Amino acid sequence: SGSMTSSSSSGSKGAAMVWRMVLMACLAGMVSAAPPVKPHIVFVMVDDFGYYDIGFRNPLIKTPTLDALVQNEAALFERHYVFKYCSPTRRSFLSGRLPPHIGGGDNSASATVDLRMHTIADKLNSAGYQSHMSGKWHAGHDVVAQTPHGRGFNTSLGYFNGACDHYTQKDSEDGCGTVTDLWNTDRPGVGLNGTYGDYLYAGRAVETIENHNPSVPLFYYLALQCAHDPMEAPDRFTSMFDGSTCPSVVEYAFSSVIDEAVKNVTEALKSRGMWENTLFVLSSDNGGPAFSDQHAASNYPLRGGKYTLFEGGLRVTAFVSGGVLPAAMRGVNIPAPVHVCDWYATFSTLAGVDPKDDAPGIPSIDGMNQWPVISGDQTEPIRTEIFLADGCLIQGKWKLLTGNAGDESWSGPLYPKVPATKGEPLKYPALFDVEADPEEHNNLASSNPEIVSNMTARLKTLEATDFNPAKPQIPKGAICQRTLENGGFLTPSDWSPSMLSQKNTERPVQQ
């Protein structure tokens, strides 16, 4: 019996040891797969960035910082989707909703995120983040509550509308004549105008990072003005390109401005010892304006561009970098489809807050946490369906277009010096396999009637869920009146200088 006792006790010891090893292995696995805790988050939204207008795709363009990041320190998204133009993409990012659920194609001066919704800044603030932004807003300014500071950003410096002069910050989108569109957190940006826009906006980002306490999680949203028209770039950037060989000197110079902005911001993060604990994301807001606006960007090899529902309008250059990106995911491509609204759920999850944002009368978020795909823990796509816009649906590899999707041309590598190519006029509904044929050359609708029928029915169901945000009712002419009173600086209808003396400097966090 003695031997039995000893053998059973040694057996249980052995079993315990095995279990301990298994547990340690599991814990080690969990540690390697565990998402970072409250990393600093920097999101750079480039304006109108052509798919081909970056150095690692186009050897004529000079973007050494972006190229090195993508090659060595970033995961590049093969299918990162946005709306076909400005404001809807920005509202989607801020709200975590697909564009049809946040006002669809509204690109007006009054386009807004519904005030009943919490923005990603609100979400991150509730987790102890300090949120800041600079650059283009284009998400509402009729009343102060719609401005960046009203939507959760501790500080901001930027312009409210879709475009303005790069040097003077002047625009006329509100119908008040020509005004100076520059707002500094809670007041007109008096005395700050007159400098090249992206110098201002990237400069504010660098200054904020330099003055930030690294022990507090930072969220910075940098919405660059380049590469949007008007066609203005500083001489030191245009002089980098030879007009005799370069298809568009200013378009190419825009890319180099963007590159330097990213260089300055990433270097600031590194010098503050913050880069190792940063998630850095860059995305364009839409495809390059090849056949609209400046008619200069190239989205080669994709079809279409800004304002179209082809991949050249909706599939954009985007990557994720920073020290929290697992080493194994640096220098690789992510084929899984991602939508810009997914960053809301991804950032919320990394911050340790529930991404849910439900309230009576508004749609729930559409965003999905993409961290398992970004971290390499999962290769299966998290998102199998994207309701990109009315008339456009993606399911896995399939993309359905039910009606006129816009200019059907392809811009080549030397566009606009070499004209775009056109194919046979497209027959709708059109069906493309955008995995095998991202350039959308082969309309497969006639050979896949069942897929077309099912996707058309699904799209009709989704289109019935379209939602338009409530807009503040303001007296006619109130914005123009306030703007006039404030030296011609574009001013929300309910702002007055007395707000500065009575307000608490910190905005209370919405729960």
Side-chain angles (χ1 to χ4, degrees):
S1 69
S3 63
M4 273 179 71
T5 311
S6 69
S7 70
S8 69
S9 73
S10 68
S12 62
K13 271 186 197 152
M17 213 166 142
V18 168
W19 278 115
R20 207 160 41 241
M21 283 165 73
V22 168
L23 183 64
M24 281 167 74
C26 286
L27 284 171
M30 281 167 67
V31 168
S32 68
V37 179
K38 295 190 182 179
H40 304 300
I41 296 169
V42 176
F43 187 92
V44 179
M45 182 86 78
V46 178
D47 205 347
D48 286 3
F49 206 7
Y51 192 77
Y52 191 63
D53 293 341
I54 189 166
F56 70 85
R57 292 195 176 108
N58 179 350
L60 294 180
I61 284 187
K62 298 178 170 113
T63 53
T65 301
L66 293 170
D67 301 346
L69 272 176
V70 168
Q71 196 174 343
N72 306 317
E73 295 187 68
L76 180 70
F77 293 102
E78 290 179 11
R79 297 177 67 191
H80 188 278
Y81 288 102
V82 295
F83 195 69
K84 60 183 177 175
Y85 51 75
C86 306
S87 177
T89 292
R90 292 157 200 276
R91 301 193 310 269
S92 180
F93 168 69
L94 289 165
S95 71
R97 275 85 176 170
L98 290 163
H101 297 151
I102 188 75
D106 187 356
N107 208 37
S108 67
S110 66
T112 186
V113 174
D114 196 295
L115 287 169
R116 293 168 290 182
M117 296 174 179
H118 292 84
T119 66
I120 184 57
D122 291 323
K123 278 285 178 198
L124 295 177
N125 291 350
S126 74
Y129 277 71
Q130 288 270 325
S131 298
H132 305 269
M133 77 84 56
S134 52
K136 172 168 161 175
W137 181 239
H138 212 184
H141 61 272
D142 286 348
V143 295
V144 169
Q146 294 170 294
T147 65
H149 191 53
R151 299 315 315 248
F153 292 95
N154 301 81
T155 67
S156 72
L157 175 65
Y159 55 110
F160 288 138
N161 278 318
C164 63
D165 187 279
H166 286 265
Y167 287 100
T168 64
Q169 287 73 55
K170 289 190 184 298
D171 64 48
S172 53
E173 288 182 33
D174 287 82
C176 306
T178 300
V179 303
T180 304
D181 187 356
L182 189 65
W183 192 255
N184 185 19
T185 305
D186 55 3
R187 66 197 72 191
V190 178
L192 298 173
N193 55 311
T195 296
Y196 191 72
D198 281 339
Y199 290 180
L200 278 180
Y201 313 131
R204 174 61 71 92
V206 168
E207 183 192 330
T208 303
I209 291 162
E210 284 174 346
N211 292 311
H212 183 77
N213 174 357
S215 68
V216 176
L218 169 72
F219 170 48
Y220 204 98
Y221 172 35
L222 173 57
L224 293 171
Q225 185 169 5
C226 290
H228 201 294
D229 66 347
M231 299 301 277
E232 301 165 331
D235 291 345
R236 68 185 182 87
F237 292 100
T238 55
S239 65
M240 292 162 64
F241 299 99
D242 176 354
S244 65
T245 54
C246 167
S248 171
V249 167
V250 177
E251 193 70 33
Y252 280 35
F254 280 157
S255 296
S256 295
V257 172
I258 293 159
D259 190 71
E260 185 171 290
V262 170
K263 175 175 186 266
N264 292 349
V265 170
T266 53
E267 282 184 355
L269 289 163
K270 286 170 183 172
S271 74
R272 294 287 286 147
M274 292 165 66
W275 180 254
E276 282 313 306
N277 189 35
T278 292
L279 186 71
F280 182 94
V281 183
L282 179 142
S283 171
S284 182
D285 65 338
N286 44 253
F291 314 116
S292 60
D293 303 333
Q294 61 254 45
H295 292 260
S298 174
N299 299 302
Y300 176 78
L302 304 177
R303 188 177 200 169
K306 183 180 180 180
Y307 301 115
T308 80
L309 292 174
F310 295 106
E311 296 291 275
L314 303 170
R315 179 197 289 225
V316 294
T317 295
F319 63 80
V320 56
S321 185
V324 301
L325 182 70
M329 292 303 289
R330 297 174 196 175
V332 304
N333 286 15
I334 294 177
V338 171
H339 189 275
V340 71
C341 76
D342 293 336
W343 294 110
Y344 187 99
T346 307
F347 294 167
S348 295
T349 305
L350 292 176
V353 289
D354 188 340
K356 271 213 301 284
D357 182 38
D358 294 330
I362 59 168
S364 299
I365 69 159
D366 299 299
M368 304 173 89
N369 172 27
Q370 294 285 355
W371 183 252
V373 157
I374 293 164
S375 64
D377 282 351
Q378 181 177 327
T379 50
E380 276 302 296
I382 282 162
R383 182 178 274 294
T384 54
E385 177 177 88
I386 311 179
F387 174 29
L388 284 163
D390 287 5
C392 181
L393 178 65
I394 281 180
Q395 287 184 340
K397 68 180 185 175
W398 296 111
K399 176 178 174 185
L400 176 77
L401 297 169
T402 58
N404 183 0
D407 193 306
E408 300 176 0
S409 312
W410 287 268
S411 49
L414 292 176
Y415 181 83
K417 216 181 241 314
V418 176
T421 54
K422 287 187 187 297
E424 286 291 304
L426 199 55
K427 290 188 175 68
Y428 294 97
L431 181 73
F432 296 100
D433 174 352
V434 290
E435 281 180 11
D437 175 31
E439 299 90 6
E440 295 169 299
H441 286 293
N442 306 309
N443 181 1
L444 303 173
S446 57
S447 52
N448 294 277
E450 197 174 332
I451 290 169
V452 170
S453 164
N454 290 342
M455 287 183 73
T456 303
R458 173 65 179 153
L459 188 54
K460 278 204 173 73
T461 303
L462 290 168
E463 286 171 350
T465 68
D466 285 3
F467 172 81
N468 289 313
K471 291 186 177 183
Q473 297 302 302
I474 60 169
K476 191 168 167 50
I479 286 183
C480 298
Q481 184 57 40
R482 288 299 90 73
T483 299
L484 198 61
E485 292 164 4
N486 289 291
F489 278 77
L490 185 59
T491 304
S493 66
D494 60 344
W495 186 85
S496 74
S498 64
M499 287 179 164
L500 298 177
S501 52
Q502 59 182 259
K503 73 182 266 301
N504 176 3
T505 54
E506 279 300 318
R507 177 181 179 281
V509 172
Q510 291 187 16
Q511 289 306 326

